[in-house]
Amino acid sequence: MLADVLEHLRCPHCRQPLRLDGRTVRCRSGHAFDVARQGYVSLLTGDAGAGTGDSAAMVAAREAFLPHYEGLRAQVVQAAVAAAPPDDGCVVDVGAGTGWYLSAVLDALPGRVGVALDLSKPALRRAARAHPRVGAVACDVWRPLPLASATAALALSVFAPRNGPELRRVLQPGGALVVAAPTAEHLAELVDALDLVRVDARKRERLETALGPRLPLRAEVRWRQVLRLDHGAVAALVAMGPSAHHLDPETLRARIAALPEPVEVTASVVVSTHRLEPSSTGVG
């Protein structure tokens, strides 16, 4: 619940601590943020664009398809449990979507609370009720995160943006970041057939650059599975990702109809663990 994570949150305007006052979250400087009836709070500043998050249709497609990624979720949970330091601190999921991965991590770490950060309000409506120990917060993850410094024992980034300086700031010294990122082989059978957005060949290099030397790689494992998908599952897979913005719906339906059914599709994701050096302040 939101009340359980307030100690980890900060006002996006003045960085002061926040408190819950009925259905409003307030800071000592007088900034106030209404809690939505679905249980999440928006800590977007007035000049932040709220219209670029996943749409309700994309979120519904993701919720329909995610059970196909149970194996990946298990791999993320395994990495998170192995990396979580014994000290206090929350679990922050940056770009949490519906909270599907975060909820499983919290089940495996019963002493932790989780903060689901996302720009999409349709996703946050689901994340707010994904787990009893999740607090859901609307924010732009490319901007300063509405979190206290050194407050997170663990951070997750699953198919999500990675703001290196902010991740270093909010992690405790010795805290860990678990990243799940697709390889060039991911969904290869569909990329050409459906003209999907391709994985950047320099994705690994960009990840290392974004995280910097103070969040060095400590472990990684590749999750690879051949999925057997019917046409409905293929449509949900496309609709939940970036290709949904670029494809004409009629053309996409025709291309999916031309596929065999079921179609075998390779899922290939690297799950990597990065640890903030214990001597680091995390700032910068």
Side-chain angles (χ1 to χ4, degrees):
M1 295 178 63
L2 186 62
D4 297 325
V5 305
L6 276 179
E7 65 179 290
H8 302 287
L9 302 181
R10 292 293 181 267
C11 175
H13 298 290
C14 63
R15 315 304 299 175
Q16 293 291 324
L18 296 168
R19 62 181 177 87
L20 188 60
D21 180 12
R23 300 292 300 175
T24 304
V25 171
R26 302 181 187 277
C27 73
R28 290 192 294 254
S29 300
H31 301 116
F33 310 89
D34 291 336
V35 178
R37 61 182 177 84
Q38 296 90 350
Y40 71 89
V41 64
S42 176
L43 297 183
L44 287 164
T45 55
D47 59 344
T52 55
D54 289 350
S55 66
M58 293 175 71
V59 171
R62 179 172 294 110
E63 199 162 53
F65 186 82
L66 280 176
H68 292 283
Y69 280 169
E70 284 286 359
L72 174 59
R73 182 162 72 162
Q75 194 67 66
V76 170
V77 170
Q78 182 177 333
V81 170
D87 305 324
D88 293 335
C90 64
V91 180
V92 175
D93 192 349
V94 181
T98 62
W100 192 69
Y101 295 94
L102 177 59
S103 64
V105 170
L106 292 178
D107 280 342
L109 296 172
R112 307 284 187 183
V113 297
V115 182
L117 302 178
D118 206 280
L119 189 60
S120 166
K121 292 182 179 180
L124 289 167
R125 292 175 191 132
R126 289 168 168 82
R129 58 180 187 268
H131 194 280
R133 287 181 275 118
V134 165
V137 178
C139 73
D140 184 344
V141 300
W142 288 117
R143 294 177 177 234
L145 301 176
L147 294 166
S149 296
T151 200
L154 186 68
L156 308 176
S157 174
V158 181
F159 298 117
R162 290 166 292 276
N163 183 337
E166 279 296 283
L167 286 167
R168 294 194 298 270
R169 181 184 66 80
V170 303
L171 277 173
Q172 299 170 348
L177 167 67
V178 174
V179 175
T183 73
E185 187 186 17
H186 188 58
L187 311 182
E189 296 86 351
L190 298 180
V191 168
D192 288 330
L194 303 181
D195 194 24
L196 303 186
V197 175
R198 297 177 183 273
V199 175
D200 185 351
R202 298 178 60 204
K203 194 172 189 69
R204 178 67 174 272
E205 178 185 340
R206 292 192 297 108
L207 172 61
E208 293 175 357
T209 300
L211 298 182
R214 285 193 290 167
L215 265 174
L217 177 67
R218 293 303 185 205
E220 71 176 10
V221 62
R222 183 180 180 187
W223 174 76
R224 185 182 187 278
Q225 184 174 330
V226 176
L227 309 175
R228 291 173 58 84
L229 305 178
D230 62 23
H231 287 176
V234 172
L237 173 59
V238 176
M240 76 183 201
S243 294
H245 298 295
H246 304 290
L247 296 174
D248 172 69
E250 289 298 326
T251 301
L252 177 61
R253 277 192 284 271
R255 289 173 177 171
I256 292 176
L259 294 172
E261 191 172 31
V263 58
E264 292 191 345
V265 179
T266 302
S268 177
V269 180
V270 170
V271 178
S272 58
T273 301
H274 308 257
R275 191 172 298 280
L276 187 67
E277 298 293 347
S279 59
S280 175
T281 64
V283 177

